[in-house]
């Protein structure tokens, strides 16, 4: 009897030890990670996950089309032009660092470009190639509002950049309002107010709001000044000075990230994600390659969704979850970029002499079909060897609209046409501040993450990169049980007061 009891006790101890060893092995082995979507959000998440989890982590990135997503180019007259996200702000730290780390070059915007604001009949304002003259004209037209706008945007950027320090300290957030509040509490409030209300509360007058601000909203998002204040503020930073792009095309950033970070790219469409719950791996990802009806699958510890889970964009199914996961109700905005190689019809814009035509035109009339016009330079433009074509000669121009233009409509804007290319895509959300409480979370389920939740707050390359790092930090903190760094306020030791006060 005693021998039997001793034997049983030994078996129990042995089993416990074996179980502990298995559990320890699961905790210490490198994770298997699936990322669905190869745009800047997905590739940024991949980059930061590789940085955090190390070279042993298995990272598969699924992309059914080309790496880059909405960062793409179009060929016109044997040269490539940006057809997706085209400008980067000098304060966008992640895009700046990616460019340096990946050995890419900056391509500055045309510094001599002239901008005009068109109301459908005439140009209400035009800038100058000389910044001093432009400032004088702006001051004459808008008074102190133009100075106050620069100050307001600068203050927003100071607050915005707090996210870099917060993420450097390892903090992450499961929802968008918390992430924005970590920059400044006012940013979360900006989600609930229209940009026109925010700017009126800041003391700006309607002349500025319904011309310059409206023009920027229509150019950047194809929408008006009723969009939420946060995305409106981000949009105004997009008309700042010092804007640039990556030489060779902005798509080179995500393309080179997957090479630099040694990410395994699987050229396939993900059809379903299944929650396994009690298996060694939490998830099984089912995918199908082009021209192949046979579905395949792989198992992972965690899954990152980096494509918008919205109708007309995604049809991924989620199975085995206790709570239903499905597409979110918010709609995405269809935008159309019509590239024209030809000579601009300056008379349409109320300009008598073609040589006086601005290189860029914002429209400030919501009834106009055209959101904006811009002369574009090729992605390989070299200021040392290339010259900017005069605006009154054959140029490559981009017309932004909310629907495809007919041939007759294109002829309204160009008096002679060599070739036309149309790029149409669901570019960014239909922004509506009244529905902002329905923002999707970054965390959909245990170790199931959603990068594109950030887009309902603001859609921009840097925002996607910030979301990508937030997801990577969330995953890392969950994997290592660093729960004290999830959804907690970070107090920067360099500041005398907490970011909660909103003061530096």
């Amino acid at each position: 009897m005693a021998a039997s009891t001793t034997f049983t006790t030994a078996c129990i101890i042995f089993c416990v030890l074996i179980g502990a060893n298995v559990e320890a092995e699961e905790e210490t082995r490198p994770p298997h990670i699936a990322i669905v979507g190869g745009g800047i959000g997905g590739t940024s998440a991949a980059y930061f996950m590789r940085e955090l989890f190390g070279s042993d982590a298995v990272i598969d990135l699924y992309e059914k089309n080309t790496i880059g997503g909405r960062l793409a180019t179009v060929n016109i007259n044997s040269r490539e032009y940006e057809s997706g996200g085209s400008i980067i702000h000098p304060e966008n730290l992640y895009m700046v660092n990616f460019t340096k780390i990946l050995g890419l070059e900056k391509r500055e915007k045309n510094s001599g470009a002239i901008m005009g604001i068109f109301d459908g009949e005439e140009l209400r304002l035009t800038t100058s190639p000389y910044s001093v003259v432009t400032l004088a004209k702006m001051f004459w037209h808008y008074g102190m509002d133009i100075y106050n706008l620069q100050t307001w945007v600068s203050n927003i950027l100071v607050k915005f950049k707090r996210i870099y320090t917060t993420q450097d300290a390892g903090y992450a957030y499961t929802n968008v309002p918390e992430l924005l509040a970590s920059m400044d509490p006012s940013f979360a409030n900006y989600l609930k107010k229209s940009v026109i209300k925010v700017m009126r509360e800041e003391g700006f007058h309607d002349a500025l709001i319904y011309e310059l601000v409206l023009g920027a909203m229509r150019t950047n998002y194809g929408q008006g000044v009723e969009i939420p204040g946060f995305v409106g503020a981000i949009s105004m930073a997009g008309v700042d000075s010092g804007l640039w792009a990556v030489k060779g095309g902005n798509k080179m950033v995500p393309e080179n990230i997957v090479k630099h970070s040694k990410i395994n790219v699987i050229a396939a469409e993900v059809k379903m994600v299944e929650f396994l719950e009690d298996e060694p791996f939490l998830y099984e990802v089912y995918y199908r390659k082009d021209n192949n009806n046979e579905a395949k699958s792989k198992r992972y510890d965690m899954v990152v969704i980096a494509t918008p889970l919205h109708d007309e964009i995604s049809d991924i199914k989620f199975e085995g979850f206790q709570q239903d996961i499905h597409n979110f109700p918010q709609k995405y905005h269809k935008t159309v970029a019509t590239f024209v190689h030809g000579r601009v019809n300056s008379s349409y814009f109320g300009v008598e002499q073609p040589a006086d035509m601005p290189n860029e035109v914002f429209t400030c009339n919501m009834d106009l079909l055209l959101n904006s016009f811009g002369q574009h330079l090729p992605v390989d433009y070299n200021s040392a060897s290339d010259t900017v074509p005069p605006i009154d000669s054959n140029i490559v121009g981009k017309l932004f609209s909310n629907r495809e233009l007919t041939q007759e409509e294109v002829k309204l804007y160009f008096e002679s046409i060599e070739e036309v290319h149309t790029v149409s895509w669901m570019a960014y959300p239909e922004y509506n501040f009244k529905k902002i409480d329905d923002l999707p979370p970054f965390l959909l389920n245990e170790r199931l993450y959603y990068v594109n939740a950030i887009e309902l707050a603001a859609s921009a390359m840097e925002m996607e990169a910030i979301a990508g790092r937030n997801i990577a930090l969330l995953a890392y903190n969950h994997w290592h049980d660093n729960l004290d760094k999830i959804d907690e306020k970070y107090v920067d030791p360099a500041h005398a007061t907490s970011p909660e006060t909103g003061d530096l």
Side-chain angles (χ1 to χ4, degrees):
M1 182 74 175
S4 175
T5 303
T6 303
F7 176 76
T8 302
T9 304
C11 285
I12 292 172
I13 294 172
F14 177 76
C15 290
V16 169
L17 289 174
I18 290 293
N21 287 336
V22 170
E23 186 176 332
E25 183 180 344
E26 288 180 352
E27 288 179 352
T28 57
R29 69 171 172 80
H32 288 59
I33 304 165
I35 299 175
V36 183
I40 189 63
T43 54
S44 294
Y47 173 88
F48 290 117
M49 281 185 152
R50 176 65 75 207
E51 191 178 60
L52 287 167
F53 287 108
S55 59
D56 291 336
V58 176
I59 305 178
D60 292 338
L61 188 149
Y62 293 85
E63 175 54 61
K64 64 179 179 179
N65 298 312
T66 57
I67 295 296
R70 284 168 280 176
L71 300 185
T73 59
V74 59
N75 188 285
I76 302 170
N77 197 27
S78 300
R79 297 185 80 171
E80 297 292 319
Y81 293 79
E82 294 280 8
S83 61
S86 58
I87 58 171
I88 303 169
H89 196 278
E91 301 288 350
N92 289 166
L93 184 61
Y94 291 149
M95 292 303 294
V96 169
N97 286 347
F98 283 150
T99 303
K100 292 178 180 177
I101 292 166
L102 301 172
L104 303 174
E105 296 180 48
K106 286 185 179 181
R107 178 174 62 86
E108 305 293 339
K109 281 193 68 179
N110 179 10
S111 58
I114 297 173
M115 186 270 286
I117 300 176
F118 182 58
D119 63 8
E121 295 182 2
E122 63 179 359
L123 292 170
R124 292 190 181 180
L125 175 71
T126 58
T127 63
S128 166
Y130 306 102
S131 58
V132 174
V133 176
T134 293
L135 187 59
K137 295 179 76 170
M138 290 279 196
F139 189 81
W140 178 262
H141 195 76
Y142 297 121
M144 285 299 293
D145 267 6
I146 198 63
Y147 170 79
N148 294 335
L149 179 65
Q150 291 179 330
T151 303
W152 183 63
V153 170
S154 295
N155 288 337
I156 285 173
L157 288 172
V158 168
K159 296 172 182 177
F160 182 90
K161 289 193 293 184
R162 288 175 181 158
I163 192 61
Y164 303 126
T165 307
T166 298
Q167 292 188 328
D168 284 347
Y171 285 75
Y173 301 92
T174 59
N175 63 76
V176 176
E178 288 285 348
L179 183 143
L180 298 186
S182 73
M183 303 177 190
D184 192 83
S186 65
F187 286 176
N189 292 330
Y190 279 9
L191 294 174
K192 302 174 185 178
K193 300 178 182 179
S194 65
V195 68
I196 186 173
K197 184 174 182 179
V198 166
M199 296 196 75
R200 281 174 172 169
E201 289 176 353
E202 292 289 339
F204 294 104
H205 298 90
D206 282 0
L208 179 90
I209 295 171
Y210 281 107
E211 288 184 6
L212 184 60
V213 177
L214 177 57
M217 301 305 117
R218 283 173 60 80
T219 298
N220 293 332
Y221 293 108
Q223 296 164 68
V225 291
E226 292 300 327
I227 68 175
F230 183 74
V231 67
I234 296 299
S235 189
M236 290 313 299
V239 295
D240 208 348
S241 59
L243 303 176
W244 58 281
V246 175
K247 190 173 182 179
N250 293 329
K251 67 180 183 181
M252 293 188 69
V253 172
E255 286 177 352
N256 281 274
I257 280 176
V258 296
K259 298 174 186 175
H260 173 86
S261 300
K262 295 180 173 57
I263 307 301
N264 178 40
V265 176
I266 299 176
E269 180 180 11
V270 170
K271 305 300 292 185
M272 186 173 75
V273 176
E274 182 182 7
F275 184 48
L276 304 176
E277 194 168 3
D278 59 351
E279 296 288 331
F281 292 101
L282 275 182
Y283 295 100
E284 188 154 7
V285 171
Y286 295 82
Y287 62 96
R288 182 172 289 132
K289 295 189 175 183
D290 289 342
N291 303 319
N292 190 340
N293 292 325
E294 181 186 357
K296 297 183 178 181
S297 69
K298 291 186 72 173
R299 294 188 171 188
Y300 298 94
D301 296 294
M302 58 189 77
V303 175
V304 177
I305 305 296
T307 185
L309 292 177
H310 296 267
D311 293 343
E312 298 185 81
I313 301 177
S314 172
D315 60 357
I316 299 173
K317 307 299 181 188
F318 295 89
E319 298 289 342
F321 294 84
Q322 290 184 351
Q323 292 186 337
D324 189 26
I325 296 179
H326 48 73
N327 281 354
F328 295 99
Q330 296 91 348
K331 294 185 179 297
Y332 264 58
H333 184 90
K334 180 180 179 180
T335 192
V336 179
T338 305
F339 293 85
V340 184
H341 180 213
R343 191 184 301 267
V344 180
N345 178 16
S346 62
S347 63
Y348 173 84
F349 297 95
V351 178
E352 293 184 6
Q353 298 298 324
D356 296 332
M357 176 71 192
N359 306 89
E360 298 178 42
V361 176
F362 292 178
T363 62
C364 62
N365 183 337
M366 290 297 290
D367 293 328
L368 291 178
L369 173 62
L370 187 68
N371 290 332
S372 66
F373 155 82
Q375 179 181 1
H376 274 241
L377 301 178
V379 297
D380 61 349
Y381 173 79
N382 188 330
S383 58
S385 58
D386 289 332
T387 57
V388 178
I391 193 67
D392 56 348
S393 66
N394 273 9
I395 66 163
V396 171
K398 180 165 72 172
L399 305 169
F400 262 140
S401 58
N402 292 339
R403 66 164 175 80
E404 292 191 16
L405 303 176
T406 66
Q407 290 183 349
E408 292 305 312
E409 287 167 342
V410 174
K411 289 178 182 177
L412 289 174
Y413 314 117
F414 280 80
E415 61 182 28
S416 67
I417 298 172
E418 297 289 329
E419 57 182 310
V420 178
H421 294 266
T422 300
V423 179
S424 175
W425 75 106
M426 308 303 283
Y428 24 70
E430 285 280 1
Y431 288 107
N432 186 337
F433 76 96
K434 295 177 183 177
K435 298 180 180 178
I436 212 68
D437 290 338
D438 298 329
L439 277 174
F442 288 122
L443 183 64
L444 299 176
N445 195 65
E446 182 182 359
R447 295 185 195 163
L448 176 63
Y449 307 99
Y450 183 41
V451 175
N452 295 74
I454 199 70
E455 286 198 273
L456 270 295
S459 180
M461 283 179 271
E462 189 72 1
M463 292 300 294
E464 293 280 351
I466 288 169
R469 191 176 188 190
N470 181 66
I471 294 300
L473 288 166
L474 263 181
Y476 184 81
N477 289 336
H478 282 145
W479 186 254
H480 292 286
D481 289 328
N482 297 332
L483 302 184
D484 58 326
K485 289 195 172 183
I486 296 176
D487 290 336
E488 296 292 335
K489 293 186 184 297
Y490 170 65
V491 179
D492 186 351
H495 293 161
T497 59
S498 164
E500 188 175 358
T501 66
D503 299 323
L504 283 175

